[in-house]
Amino acid sequence: MPYTLVFTEQYNRKAARFLKRHPELRQQYLKTLQLLEANPFHPSLRLHPLHGKWEGLHSVSINLSYRITLELLIKDEQIIPVNVGDHDAIY
């Protein structure tokens, strides 16, 4: 069953800044979002829950260096991206 990606204004601004700084990642980023919507548990996304101050959020990988943090609402089948960037920028 497909999930629905719900983009907030705040996330859209972060994503626009990220893609402006890293235009070479646009295709990988879009592919990650498509796969996330189709199957957030696909092994290549490396979905995992976060801990500590990020408790309640999950992370998926765009590639080995860049990630998207997200709120995964399995009950409502919604995925709300929260942040995008490299490991140090989002954690």
Side-chain angles (χ1 to χ4, degrees):
M1 172 167 290
Y3 287 74
T4 302
L5 289 172
V6 179
F7 296 100
T8 64
E9 265 188 57
Q10 183 180 13
Y11 177 79
N12 286 336
R13 285 192 303 271
K14 290 177 183 181
R17 281 194 307 269
F18 173 77
L19 291 171
K20 188 174 182 176
R21 285 192 307 264
H22 305 286
E24 73 282 3
L25 296 175
R26 179 175 291 279
Q27 287 301 98
Q28 283 182 294
Y29 172 76
L30 294 175
K31 183 179 177 183
T32 300
L33 292 180
Q34 289 173 343
L35 188 54
L36 187 59
E37 194 167 37
N39 179 10
F41 303 101
H42 191 281
S44 69
L45 292 173
R46 296 186 288 280
L47 175 73
H48 61 279
L50 300 176
H51 304 284
K53 71 178 186 177
W54 302 111
E55 188 81 30
L57 296 179
H58 289 73
S59 178
V60 294
S61 295
I62 297 172
N63 61 26
L64 292 175
S65 299
Y66 296 95
R67 304 192 176 25
I68 300 173
T69 57
L70 48 97
E71 186 174 351
L72 182 62
L73 303 174
I74 295 173
K75 179 179 176 187
D76 298 328
E77 295 167 343
Q78 290 185 335
I79 299 171
I80 303 169
V82 175
N83 204 349
V84 60
D86 67 17
H87 188 275
D88 294 336
I90 63 174
Y91 296 129

